[in-house]
């Protein structure tokens, strides 16, 4: 039985070798020779060159993807940093505004605490009348007056300076005659 099995395995091996020899015959002359080996070697070298080119392309694409991933990560980190900075500034501004509101509330409360309750009641009673008077104001006229106010204040300041100059002059004259 072992002999039969060995013979069968030898036949399979021989048929496999013959099949390989038949497929390895590059020149088509029916036998495996140096020309066939040279043709196989050329084919293998061409396949290796193609595979090398593909591997280089894959490596280039992987480097490009890695670089792109790093750039995107850096951009995202910068954007997040800017966002955090703006949020921090906004938070500080809100906290400052809250502090100012608290200070104003404290000031208002202390002012209200110093008022006499009867005075406060009288002011609250006068408030509707004041509101009605404000409603009757001509807004355009008020705006005209408010626009002219800086010029008026400049003129008042100039007059005050002139009065001071005249006063100083008279003071100087009276000081001369007074001695």
């Amino acid at each position: 039985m072992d002999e039969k099995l060995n013979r069968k395995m030898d036949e399979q091996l021989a048929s496999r070798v013959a099949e390989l020899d038949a497929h390895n015959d590059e020149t088509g002359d029916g036998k495996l020779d140096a020309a066939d080996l040279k043709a196989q070697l050329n084919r293998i070298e061409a396949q290796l060159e193609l595979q090398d080119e593909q591997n280089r392309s894959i490596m280039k694409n992987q480097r490009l993807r890695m670089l792109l991933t790093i750039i995107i990560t850096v951009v995202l980190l910068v954007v997040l940093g800017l966002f955090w900075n703006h949020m921090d500034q906004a938070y500080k501004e809100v906290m400052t505004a809250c502090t100012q509101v608290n200070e104003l509330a404290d000031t208002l409360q202390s002012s209200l605490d110093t008022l006499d309750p009867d005075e406060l009641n009288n002011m609250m009673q006068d408030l509707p009348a004041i509101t009605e008077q404000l409603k009757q104001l001509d807004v355009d006229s008020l705006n005209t007056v408010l626009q002219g106010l800086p010029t008026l204040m400049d003129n008042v300041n100039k007059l005050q300076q002139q009065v001071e100059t005249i006063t100083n002059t008279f003071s100087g004259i009276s000081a001369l005659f007074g001695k």
Side-chain angles (χ1 to χ4, degrees):
M1 190 153 234
D2 284 333
E3 228 176 88
K4 189 175 180 183
L5 185 61
N6 283 341
R7 198 176 329 120
K8 187 174 182 183
M9 286 176 66
D10 286 341
E11 288 174 5
Q12 286 177 349
L13 182 61
S15 76
R16 181 74 178 142
V17 168
E19 184 180 313
L20 286 173
D21 284 343
H23 291 295
N24 288 335
D25 185 15
E26 298 283 333
T27 58
D29 59 1
K31 59 183 177 175
L32 187 61
D33 56 3
D36 293 329
L37 293 176
K38 176 67 176 159
Q40 286 179 1
L41 182 62
N42 288 340
R43 187 169 23 89
I44 290 171
E45 284 178 349
Q47 287 174 344
L48 287 175
E49 285 177 16
L50 179 63
Q51 188 172 6
D52 183 54
E53 188 178 310
Q54 289 171 345
N55 288 343
R56 289 180 190 271
S57 176
I58 289 170
M59 290 299 291
K60 181 181 174 185
N61 286 339
Q62 285 178 342
R63 280 190 214 114
L64 184 62
R65 284 182 186 147
M66 187 184 310
L67 182 64
L68 195 57
T69 302
I70 290 170
I71 290 171
I72 288 172
T73 303
V74 167
V75 167
L76 284 175
L77 288 174
V78 167
V79 167
L80 285 173
L82 290 173
F83 178 73
W84 177 81
N85 186 31
H86 286 296
M87 289 299 292
D88 188 49
Q89 287 176 352
Y91 174 76
K92 287 177 183 176
E93 289 175 11
V94 166
M95 292 309 293
T96 301
C98 288
T99 303
Q100 290 172 348
V101 167
N102 286 338
E103 289 172 0
L104 286 174
D106 289 343
T107 303
L108 181 62
Q109 185 61 45
S110 65
S111 295
L112 289 175
D113 289 344
T114 60
L115 281 178
D116 182 28
D118 292 333
E119 282 183 49
L120 183 60
N121 192 22
N122 288 338
M123 287 192 324
M124 293 305 284
Q125 301 256 338
D126 291 341
L127 193 58
I130 294 171
T131 304
E132 283 302 316
Q133 288 176 357
L134 287 174
K135 285 181 184 176
Q136 293 174 5
L137 283 178
D138 183 12
V139 176
D140 293 331
S141 299
L142 184 61
N143 284 335
T144 304
V145 169
L146 289 175
Q147 287 174 353
L149 192 59
T151 307
L152 177 66
M153 292 306 293
D154 285 341
N155 290 337
V156 167
N157 285 336
K158 287 178 185 175
L159 283 174
Q160 186 177 8
Q161 288 173 356
Q162 288 175 356
V163 167
E164 286 178 13
T165 304
I166 293 170
T167 304
N168 289 338
T169 304
F170 282 129
S171 295
I173 292 173
S174 66
L176 283 176
F177 288 117
K179 287 186 177 181

